[in-house]
Coordinates of all heavy atoms in Angstrom, one line a residue:
P1 N 0.8 -1.2 0.0 CA 0.0 0.0 0.0 C 0.9 1.3 0.0 O 2.0 1.3 0.5 CB -0.8 -0.1 1.3 CG -0.5 -1.4 1.9 CD 0.6 -2.0 1.1
W2 N 0.3 2.3 -0.5 CA 0.9 3.6 -0.6 C 1.1 4.2 0.8 O 0.1 4.3 1.6 CB 0.1 4.5 -1.5 CG 0.5 5.9 -1.6 CD1 1.8 6.3 -1.6 CD2 -0.3 7.0 -1.8 NE1 1.8 7.7 -1.9 CE2 0.5 8.1 -2.0 CE3 -1.7 7.2 -1.9 CZ2 0.0 9.4 -2.2 CZ3 -2.1 8.4 -2.2 CH2 -1.3 9.5 -2.3
Q3 N 2.3 4.5 1.2 CA 2.5 5.2 2.4 C 2.8 6.7 2.1 O 3.7 6.9 1.3 CB 3.8 4.6 3.1 CG 3.5 3.2 3.6 CD 2.5 3.1 4.7 OE1 2.4 3.9 5.6 NE2 1.6 2.1 4.6
L4 N 2.1 7.5 2.7 CA 2.4 9.0 2.5 C 3.6 9.3 3.3 O 3.9 8.9 4.4 CB 1.2 9.8 3.0 CG -0.1 9.4 2.2 CD1 -1.3 10.1 2.8 CD2 0.0 9.8 0.8
S5 N 4.4 10.1 2.7 CA 5.8 10.4 3.1 C 5.9 11.1 4.4 O 6.7 10.8 5.3 CB 6.6 11.1 2.1 OG 6.0 12.3 1.7
A6 N 5.1 12.2 4.6 CA 5.3 13.0 5.8 C 4.0 13.7 6.1 O 3.2 14.0 5.2 CB 6.4 14.0 5.6
P7 N 3.8 14.1 7.3 CA 2.5 14.9 7.6 C 2.6 16.2 7.0 O 3.7 16.8 6.7 CB 2.5 15.0 9.1 CG 3.9 14.7 9.6 CD 4.6 13.9 8.5
V8 N 1.5 16.8 6.7 CA 1.4 18.1 6.1 C 1.9 19.1 7.2 O 1.3 19.2 8.3 CB 0.0 18.4 5.7 CG1 -0.1 19.8 5.1 CG2 -0.5 17.4 4.6
S9 N 2.8 20.0 6.8 CA 3.3 21.0 7.7 C 2.7 22.3 7.4 O 2.6 23.2 8.3 CB 4.8 21.1 7.7 OG 5.2 21.4 6.4
D10 N 2.3 22.6 6.1 CA 1.8 23.9 5.8 C 0.7 23.7 4.7 O 1.0 24.0 3.5 CB 2.9 24.8 5.3 CG 2.5 26.2 5.0 OD1 1.5 26.6 5.6 OD2 3.1 26.8 4.2
L11 N -0.4 23.3 5.0 CA -1.5 23.2 4.0 C -2.5 24.3 4.4 O -3.1 24.2 5.4 CB -2.1 21.8 4.1 CG -3.1 21.5 3.0 CD1 -2.5 21.5 1.6 CD2 -3.8 20.1 3.2
S12 N -2.7 25.2 3.5 CA -3.7 26.3 3.8 C -5.1 25.8 3.7 O -5.3 24.6 3.3 CB -3.5 27.4 2.8 OG -3.9 27.0 1.5
S13 N -6.0 26.6 4.0 CA -7.4 26.2 4.0 C -7.9 26.0 2.6 O -8.9 25.3 2.3 CB -8.3 27.2 4.7 OG -8.2 28.5 4.1
K14 N -7.2 26.6 1.6 CA -7.6 26.4 0.2 C -6.8 25.2 -0.4 O -5.6 25.1 -0.1 CB -7.2 27.7 -0.6 CG -8.0 28.9 -0.3 CD -7.7 30.0 -1.2 CE -8.6 31.2 -1.0 NZ -8.2 32.3 -1.8
P15 N -7.5 24.4 -1.1 CA -6.8 23.3 -1.7 C -5.7 23.7 -2.7 O -5.8 24.8 -3.3 CB -7.9 22.5 -2.5 CG -9.2 23.0 -1.9 CD -8.9 24.4 -1.4
A16 N -4.6 22.9 -2.8 CA -3.5 23.3 -3.7 C -4.0 23.6 -5.1 O -3.4 24.5 -5.8 CB -2.5 22.2 -3.7
A17 N -4.9 22.8 -5.6 CA -5.4 23.0 -7.0 C -6.0 24.4 -7.2 O -6.0 24.9 -8.3 CB -6.4 21.9 -7.3
A18 N -6.5 25.0 -6.1 CA -7.1 26.3 -6.3 C -6.1 27.4 -6.1 O -6.4 28.5 -6.5 CB -8.2 26.4 -5.2
T19 N -4.9 27.1 -5.5 CA -4.0 28.2 -5.2 C -2.9 28.4 -6.2 O -2.3 29.5 -6.2 CB -3.3 28.0 -3.8 OG1 -2.7 26.7 -3.8 CG2 -4.4 28.0 -2.7
S20 N -2.7 27.5 -7.1 CA -1.7 27.6 -8.1 C -2.2 27.0 -9.4 O -3.1 26.1 -9.4 CB -0.4 26.8 -7.8 OG 0.2 27.3 -6.6
S21 N -1.7 27.5 -10.5 CA -2.1 26.9 -11.8 C -1.4 25.6 -11.9 O -0.2 25.5 -11.8 CB -1.7 27.9 -12.9 OG -1.8 27.2 -14.2
L22 N -2.2 24.6 -12.2 CA -1.7 23.2 -12.3 C -0.7 23.1 -13.5 O 0.3 22.4 -13.4 CB -2.8 22.2 -12.5 CG -3.8 22.1 -11.3 CD1 -4.8 21.0 -11.7 CD2 -3.0 21.7 -10.1
A23 N -1.0 23.9 -14.5 CA -0.1 23.9 -15.7 C 1.3 24.4 -15.4 O 2.3 24.0 -16.0 CB -0.7 24.7 -16.8
E24 N 1.4 25.3 -14.4 CA 2.7 25.8 -14.0 C 3.5 25.0 -13.0 O 4.7 25.2 -12.8 CB 2.5 27.2 -13.3 CG 1.9 28.2 -14.2 CD 1.5 29.5 -13.5 OE1 1.8 29.6 -12.3 OE2 0.9 30.4 -14.2
M25 N 2.9 23.9 -12.5 CA 3.5 23.1 -11.5 C 4.3 21.9 -12.2 O 3.8 21.4 -13.1 CB 2.5 22.6 -10.5 CG 1.8 23.7 -9.7 SD 0.4 23.1 -8.7 CE 1.3 22.3 -7.5
S26 N 5.4 21.6 -11.6 CA 6.1 20.4 -12.1 C 5.4 19.1 -11.7 O 4.6 19.2 -10.7 CB 7.6 20.4 -11.6 OG 7.6 20.1 -10.2
D27 N 5.7 18.0 -12.3 CA 5.2 16.8 -11.9 C 5.5 16.4 -10.4 O 4.7 16.0 -9.7 CB 5.6 15.6 -12.8 CG 5.0 15.7 -14.2 OD1 4.1 16.5 -14.4 OD2 5.4 14.9 -15.0
G28 N 6.8 16.7 -10.1 CA 7.2 16.5 -8.7 C 6.4 17.3 -7.7 O 6.0 16.8 -6.6
E29 N 6.1 18.6 -8.0 CA 5.3 19.4 -7.1 C 3.9 18.9 -7.1 O 3.3 18.9 -6.0 CB 5.4 20.9 -7.6 CG 4.6 21.8 -6.7 CD 5.1 22.0 -5.3 OE1 6.3 21.7 -5.1 OE2 4.4 22.5 -4.5
L30 N 3.3 18.5 -8.2 CA 2.0 17.9 -8.2 C 1.9 16.7 -7.3 O 1.0 16.5 -6.6 CB 1.5 17.6 -9.6 CG 1.3 18.8 -10.5 CD1 1.1 18.4 -12.0 CD2 0.0 19.5 -10.1
L31 N 2.9 15.8 -7.4 CA 2.9 14.6 -6.6 C 3.0 15.0 -5.1 O 2.4 14.4 -4.3 CB 4.1 13.7 -7.0 CG 3.9 13.0 -8.4 CD1 5.2 12.3 -8.8 CD2 2.7 12.0 -8.3
K32 N 3.9 15.9 -4.8 CA 4.0 16.4 -3.4 C 2.7 16.9 -2.9 O 2.3 16.5 -1.8 CB 5.1 17.4 -3.3 CG 5.3 18.0 -1.9 CD 6.4 19.1 -1.9 CE 6.4 19.8 -0.6 NZ 7.1 21.0 -0.6
R33 N 2.1 17.7 -3.7 CA 0.8 18.3 -3.2 C -0.3 17.2 -3.1 O -1.2 17.3 -2.3 CB 0.3 19.4 -4.2 CG 1.3 20.6 -4.2 CD 0.6 21.8 -3.7 NE 1.5 23.0 -3.8 CZ 1.1 24.2 -3.9 NH1 -0.2 24.5 -4.0 NH2 1.9 25.2 -3.9
A34 N -0.3 16.3 -4.0 CA -1.2 15.2 -3.9 C -1.0 14.4 -2.6 O -2.0 14.0 -2.0 CB -1.1 14.3 -5.2
N35 N 0.2 14.2 -2.3 CA 0.5 13.5 -1.0 C 0.0 14.3 0.2 O -0.7 13.7 1.1 CB 2.0 13.2 -0.8 CG 2.5 12.1 -1.7 OD1 1.8 11.3 -2.2 ND2 3.8 12.1 -1.8
E36 N 0.2 15.6 0.2 CA -0.3 16.5 1.2 C -1.8 16.4 1.3 O -2.4 16.4 2.4 CB 0.2 17.9 1.0 CG 1.7 18.0 1.2 CD 2.2 19.4 0.8 OE1 1.5 20.2 0.2 OE2 3.4 19.7 1.1
A37 N -2.4 16.5 0.1 CA -3.9 16.5 0.1 C -4.4 15.2 0.6 O -5.4 15.2 1.4 CB -4.4 16.7 -1.3
A38 N -3.8 14.1 0.2 CA -4.3 12.8 0.7 C -4.1 12.6 2.2 O -4.9 12.1 2.9 CB -3.6 11.6 -0.1
N39 N -2.9 13.1 2.7 CA -2.7 13.0 4.1 C -3.7 13.8 4.9 O -4.0 13.5 6.1 CB -1.3 13.6 4.4 CG -0.2 12.6 4.4 OD1 -0.4 11.5 4.7 ND2 1.0 13.1 4.0
S40 N -4.2 14.9 4.3 CA -5.2 15.7 5.0 C -6.7 15.3 4.6 O -7.6 16.0 4.9 CB -5.0 17.2 4.6 OG -3.8 17.6 5.0
N41 N -6.8 14.2 4.0 CA -8.1 13.6 3.6 C -8.8 14.5 2.5 O -10.0 14.4 2.4 CB -9.0 13.3 4.8 CG -9.8 12.1 4.6 OD1 -9.5 11.2 3.9 ND2 -11.0 12.1 5.1
Y42 N -8.1 15.2 1.8 CA -8.6 16.0 0.6 C -8.5 15.0 -0.6 O -7.7 15.3 -1.5 CB -7.9 17.3 0.4 CG -8.1 18.3 1.4 CD1 -7.1 18.7 2.2 CD2 -9.3 19.0 1.5 CE1 -7.2 19.7 3.2 CE2 -9.5 20.0 2.5 CZ -8.5 20.3 3.3 OH -8.7 21.3 4.2
L43 N -9.3 14.0 -0.6 CA -9.1 12.9 -1.6 C -9.5 13.4 -3.0 O -8.8 13.0 -4.0 CB -9.9 11.7 -1.2 CG -9.5 11.1 0.1 CD1 -10.4 9.9 0.4 CD2 -8.0 10.7 0.2
Q44 N -10.5 14.2 -3.2 CA -10.8 14.7 -4.5 C -9.7 15.6 -5.1 O -9.4 15.5 -6.3 CB -12.1 15.5 -4.4 CG -12.6 16.0 -5.8 CD -13.0 14.9 -6.7 OE1 -13.4 13.8 -6.3 NE2 -12.8 15.1 -8.0
E45 N -9.1 16.4 -4.2 CA -8.0 17.2 -4.7 C -6.8 16.4 -5.1 O -6.2 16.6 -6.1 CB -7.6 18.2 -3.6 CG -6.4 19.0 -4.0 CD -5.8 19.9 -3.0 OE1 -6.3 20.0 -1.9 OE2 -4.7 20.5 -3.2
A46 N -6.5 15.4 -4.3 CA -5.4 14.4 -4.6 C -5.7 13.8 -5.9 O -4.7 13.7 -6.8 CB -5.3 13.4 -3.5
S47 N -6.9 13.4 -6.2 CA -7.2 12.7 -7.4 C -7.0 13.7 -8.6 O -6.4 13.3 -9.6 CB -8.7 12.3 -7.4 OG -9.1 11.7 -8.6
I48 N -7.4 14.9 -8.5 CA -7.2 15.9 -9.6 C -5.7 16.1 -9.9 O -5.3 16.1 -11.0 CB -7.9 17.2 -9.2 CG1 -9.4 17.1 -9.2 CG2 -7.4 18.3 -10.1 CD1 -10.2 18.2 -8.6
L49 N -5.0 16.2 -8.8 CA -3.5 16.4 -9.0 C -2.9 15.2 -9.6 O -2.0 15.4 -10.6 CB -2.9 16.8 -7.6 CG -3.3 18.1 -7.0 CD1 -2.9 18.1 -5.5 CD2 -2.8 19.3 -7.7
L50 N -3.2 14.1 -9.2 CA -2.6 12.8 -9.8 C -3.0 12.6 -11.2 O -2.2 12.2 -12.1 CB -3.0 11.6 -8.9 CG -2.4 11.7 -7.5 CD1 -3.0 10.6 -6.6 CD2 -0.9 11.4 -7.6
R51 N -4.3 12.9 -11.5 CA -4.8 12.8 -12.9 C -4.0 13.8 -13.8 O -3.8 13.6 -15.0 CB -6.3 13.0 -13.0 CG -7.0 11.8 -12.4 CD -8.5 12.0 -12.4 NE -9.2 11.1 -11.6 CZ -9.6 9.9 -12.0 NH1 -9.4 9.5 -13.2 NH2 -10.3 9.1 -11.2
T52 N -3.7 15.0 -13.3 CA -3.0 16.0 -14.0 C -1.6 15.4 -14.4 O -1.2 15.6 -15.6 CB -2.8 17.3 -13.2 OG1 -4.2 17.8 -13.0 CG2 -2.1 18.3 -14.0
V53 N -0.9 14.8 -13.5 CA 0.4 14.2 -13.8 C 0.2 13.1 -14.8 O 1.0 13.0 -15.8 CB 1.0 13.6 -12.5 CG1 2.3 12.8 -12.8 CG2 1.3 14.6 -11.5
L54 N -0.8 12.3 -14.7 CA -1.0 11.2 -15.7 C -1.4 11.7 -17.1 O -1.1 11.1 -18.1 CB -2.1 10.2 -15.1 CG -1.6 9.4 -14.0 CD1 -2.7 8.6 -13.3 CD2 -0.5 8.5 -14.4
Q55 N -2.1 12.9 -17.2 CA -2.3 13.4 -18.5 C -1.0 13.8 -19.2 O -0.9 13.6 -20.4 CB -3.2 14.7 -18.3 CG -4.7 14.4 -18.0 CD -5.5 15.6 -17.8 OE1 -5.0 16.7 -17.7 NE2 -6.8 15.4 -17.8
R56 N -0.1 14.3 -18.4 CA 1.2 14.7 -19.0 C 2.1 13.4 -19.2 O 2.8 13.4 -20.2 CB 2.0 15.5 -18.0 CG 1.4 16.9 -17.7 CD 2.2 17.6 -16.7 NE 1.6 18.8 -16.2 CZ 2.2 19.6 -15.3 NH1 3.3 19.2 -14.7 NH2 1.6 20.7 -14.9
D57 N 2.0 12.5 -18.3 CA 2.9 11.3 -18.4 C 2.1 10.1 -18.0 O 2.1 9.7 -16.8 CB 4.1 11.5 -17.5 CG 5.1 10.3 -17.5 OD1 4.9 9.4 -18.4 OD2 6.0 10.3 -16.6
P58 N 1.4 9.4 -18.9 CA 0.6 8.2 -18.6 C 1.4 7.1 -18.0 O 0.8 6.2 -17.4 CB 0.0 7.9 -20.0 CG 0.1 9.1 -20.8 CD 1.3 9.8 -20.3
Q59 N 2.7 7.1 -18.2 CA 3.6 6.0 -17.7 C 4.1 6.3 -16.3 O 4.9 5.5 -15.8 CB 4.7 5.8 -18.7 CG 4.3 5.4 -20.1 CD 3.3 4.2 -20.2 OE1 3.6 3.2 -19.5 NE2 2.2 4.4 -20.9
N60 N 3.7 7.3 -15.7 CA 4.2 7.7 -14.3 C 3.6 6.7 -13.3 O 2.4 6.8 -12.9 CB 3.8 9.1 -14.0 CG 4.5 9.6 -12.7 OD1 4.5 8.9 -11.7 ND2 5.1 10.7 -12.7
L61 N 4.3 5.7 -12.9 CA 3.8 4.6 -12.1 C 3.5 5.1 -10.7 O 2.6 4.6 -10.0 CB 4.8 3.5 -12.0 CG 5.0 2.7 -13.3 CD1 6.1 1.6 -13.2 CD2 3.7 2.2 -13.9
T62 N 4.3 6.1 -10.2 CA 4.0 6.6 -8.9 C 2.6 7.3 -8.8 O 1.8 7.0 -7.9 CB 5.1 7.7 -8.4 OG1 6.3 7.0 -8.4 CG2 4.8 8.3 -7.1
A63 N 2.3 8.1 -9.8 CA 1.0 8.8 -9.9 C -0.1 7.8 -10.1 O -1.1 7.9 -9.5 CB 1.0 9.8 -11.0
R64 N 0.1 6.8 -10.9 CA -0.9 5.8 -11.2 C -1.2 5.0 -9.9 O -2.4 4.8 -9.6 CB -0.5 4.9 -12.4 CG -1.6 4.0 -12.7 CD -1.7 3.6 -14.2 NE -1.4 4.6 -15.2 CZ -2.3 5.4 -15.8 NH1 -3.6 5.4 -15.4 NH2 -2.0 6.2 -16.7
N65 N -0.2 4.5 -9.3 CA -0.4 3.8 -8.0 C -1.1 4.6 -7.0 O -2.0 4.2 -6.3 CB 1.0 3.2 -7.5 CG 0.8 2.4 -6.2 OD1 0.2 1.4 -6.2 ND2 1.2 3.0 -5.1
N66 N -0.6 5.8 -6.8 CA -1.2 6.7 -5.8 C -2.6 7.1 -6.1 O -3.5 7.1 -5.2 CB -0.3 8.0 -5.6 CG 1.0 7.7 -5.0 OD1 1.4 6.6 -4.7 ND2 1.8 8.8 -4.9
L67 N -2.9 7.2 -7.4 CA -4.3 7.5 -7.8 C -5.2 6.2 -7.4 O -6.3 6.4 -6.9 CB -4.4 7.8 -9.3 CG -5.9 8.0 -9.8 CD1 -6.6 9.1 -9.1 CD2 -5.8 8.2 -11.3
A68 N -4.7 5.1 -7.6 CA -5.4 3.8 -7.3 C -5.7 3.8 -5.8 O -6.8 3.5 -5.4 CB -4.6 2.6 -7.7
V69 N -4.7 4.2 -5.0 CA -4.9 4.2 -3.5 C -6.0 5.2 -3.1 O -6.9 5.0 -2.3 CB -3.6 4.5 -2.8 CG1 -3.8 4.7 -1.3 CG2 -2.6 3.4 -3.0
V70 N -5.9 6.4 -3.7 CA -6.9 7.5 -3.4 C -8.3 7.0 -3.8 O -9.3 7.2 -3.1 CB -6.5 8.8 -4.1 CG1 -7.7 9.8 -4.1 CG2 -5.3 9.4 -3.5
L71 N -8.4 6.4 -5.0 CA -9.7 5.9 -5.5 C -10.3 4.8 -4.5 O -11.4 4.8 -4.2 CB -9.6 5.3 -6.9 CG -9.4 6.4 -8.0 CD1 -9.0 5.7 -9.3 CD2 -10.6 7.3 -8.2
K72 N -9.4 4.0 -4.1 CA -9.8 2.9 -3.1 C -10.3 3.6 -1.8 O -11.3 3.2 -1.3 CB -8.6 2.0 -2.8 CG -8.9 0.9 -1.8 CD -7.7 0.0 -1.5 CE -8.0 -0.9 -0.4 NZ -6.8 -1.5 0.1
R73 N -9.6 4.6 -1.3 CA -10.0 5.3 -0.1 C -11.4 6.0 -0.3 O -12.1 6.2 0.6 CB -9.0 6.3 0.3 CG -7.7 5.6 0.9 CD -6.6 6.6 1.3 NE -7.1 7.6 2.3 CZ -6.4 8.7 2.6 NH1 -5.2 8.9 2.1 NH2 -6.9 9.5 3.5
Q74 N -11.7 6.4 -1.6 CA -12.9 7.0 -1.9 C -14.1 6.0 -2.1 O -15.2 6.3 -2.3 CB -12.8 7.9 -3.1 CG -12.0 9.1 -3.0 CD -11.9 9.9 -4.3 OE1 -11.4 9.3 -5.3 NE2 -12.3 11.1 -4.2
G75 N -13.7 4.7 -2.0 CA -14.7 3.6 -2.2 C -15.0 3.3 -3.7 O -15.9 2.6 -4.0
L76 N -14.2 3.9 -4.6 CA -14.3 3.7 -6.0 C -13.5 2.5 -6.5 O -12.5 2.6 -7.2 CB -13.9 4.9 -6.8 CG -14.7 6.2 -6.4 CD1 -14.2 7.4 -7.0 CD2 -16.2 6.0 -6.7
L77 N -13.9 1.3 -6.0 CA -13.0 0.1 -6.2 C -12.8 -0.3 -7.6 O -11.7 -0.7 -8.0 CB -13.6 -1.0 -5.3 CG -13.8 -0.8 -3.8 CD1 -14.3 -2.0 -3.1 CD2 -12.4 -0.4 -3.2
D78 N -13.8 -0.2 -8.4 CA -13.6 -0.6 -9.9 C -12.6 0.3 -10.5 O -11.7 -0.2 -11.3 CB -15.0 -0.5 -10.6 CG -15.9 -1.6 -10.2 OD1 -15.5 -2.7 -9.7 OD2 -17.1 -1.5 -10.5
Q79 N -12.7 1.6 -10.3 CA -11.7 2.5 -10.8 C -10.3 2.3 -10.2 O -9.3 2.3 -11.0 CB -12.1 4.0 -10.6 CG -13.3 4.4 -11.3 CD -13.7 5.8 -11.0 OE1 -12.9 6.7 -11.0 NE2 -15.0 6.0 -10.8
A80 N -10.2 2.0 -9.0 CA -9.0 1.7 -8.3 C -8.3 0.4 -8.9 O -7.1 0.4 -9.2 CB -9.1 1.5 -6.8
I81 N -9.1 -0.6 -9.1 CA -8.6 -1.8 -9.8 C -8.0 -1.5 -11.2 O -7.0 -2.0 -11.5 CB -9.7 -2.9 -9.8 CG1 -9.9 -3.4 -8.4 CG2 -9.3 -4.1 -10.7 CD1 -11.2 -4.3 -8.2
T82 N -8.8 -0.7 -11.9 CA -8.3 -0.4 -13.3 C -7.0 0.3 -13.2 O -6.1 0.0 -14.0 CB -9.4 0.5 -14.0 OG1 -10.6 -0.2 -14.1 CG2 -8.9 1.0 -15.3
E83 N -6.8 1.2 -12.3 CA -5.5 1.9 -12.1 C -4.4 1.0 -11.7 O -3.3 1.1 -12.2 CB -5.6 3.1 -11.2 CG -6.5 4.2 -11.7 CD -6.1 4.8 -13.0 OE1 -4.9 4.9 -13.3 OE2 -7.0 5.3 -13.7
Y84 N -4.7 0.1 -10.7 CA -3.7 -0.9 -10.3 C -3.3 -1.8 -11.5 O -2.1 -2.0 -11.7 CB -4.2 -1.8 -9.2 CG -4.2 -1.2 -7.8 CD1 -5.4 -1.2 -7.0 CD2 -3.1 -0.6 -7.3 CE1 -5.4 -0.6 -5.8 CE2 -3.1 -0.1 -6.0 CZ -4.2 -0.1 -5.2 OH -4.2 0.5 -4.0
E85 N -4.2 -2.2 -12.3 CA -3.9 -3.1 -13.4 C -3.1 -2.3 -14.5 O -2.1 -2.9 -15.0 CB -5.2 -3.6 -14.1 CG -5.9 -4.6 -13.2 CD -7.3 -5.1 -13.7 OE1 -7.8 -4.4 -14.6 OE2 -7.7 -6.1 -13.3
S86 N -3.4 -1.0 -14.6 CA -2.6 -0.2 -15.6 C -1.2 -0.1 -15.1 O -0.2 -0.1 -15.9 CB -3.2 1.2 -15.7 OG -4.4 1.1 -16.4
A87 N -1.0 0.1 -13.8 CA 0.3 0.2 -13.2 C 1.1 -1.1 -13.4 O 2.4 -1.0 -13.6 CB 0.3 0.6 -11.7
L88 N 0.5 -2.2 -13.4 CA 1.2 -3.5 -13.5 C 1.4 -3.9 -15.0 O 2.2 -4.8 -15.2 CB 0.3 -4.6 -12.8 CG 0.2 -4.4 -11.3 CD1 -0.8 -5.5 -10.8 CD2 1.6 -4.6 -10.6
A89 N 0.7 -3.3 -15.9 CA 0.8 -3.7 -17.3 C 2.1 -3.2 -17.9 O 2.8 -2.4 -17.5 CB -0.3 -3.0 -18.1

């Protein structure tokens, strides 16, 4: 299972997706913010950030696996399984 790296130290009341243009953020920054969002139980935001990475780089296994975990946490098991299978393909 996906282990989030560290607790959120500075997450404002506004979701990351609302505070910065996603197009301006690097994949690494998007992944970091997705981890922070998931740690804070902002699962919809985490999903948006991870899907943004995957639009740019469909082969990004970290983003694909993390999206599967977020979807599982949201109870979207069919979608989670699809993402896990894509990560393994």
Side-chain angles (χ1 to χ4, degrees):
W2 175 33
Q3 293 292 322
L4 300 173
S5 58
V8 176
S9 59
D10 184 28
L11 187 63
S12 70
S13 60
K14 291 185 179 179
T19 59
S20 297
S21 169
L22 298 181
E24 296 173 4
M25 298 170 74
S26 70
D27 289 353
E29 181 66 18
L30 289 167
L31 289 170
K32 178 183 171 195
R33 295 241 183 156
N35 284 346
E36 292 172 350
N39 270 330
S40 297
N41 213 32
Y42 291 111
L43 300 179
Q44 184 64 31
E45 178 187 356
S47 176
I48 291 167
L49 294 165
L50 293 165
R51 289 176 193 276
T52 300
V53 173
L54 290 170
Q55 285 177 346
R56 294 179 188 175
D57 179 11
Q59 302 304 315
N60 188 312
L61 296 179
T62 300
R64 188 149 319 269
N65 180 70
N66 292 358
L67 177 59
V69 172
V70 167
L71 292 168
K72 180 182 171 193
R73 288 178 58 190
Q74 290 177 304
L76 303 171
L77 300 182
D78 289 340
Q79 291 179 44
I81 289 168
T82 298
E83 293 302 329
Y84 281 128
E85 289 174 344
S86 292
L88 294 172

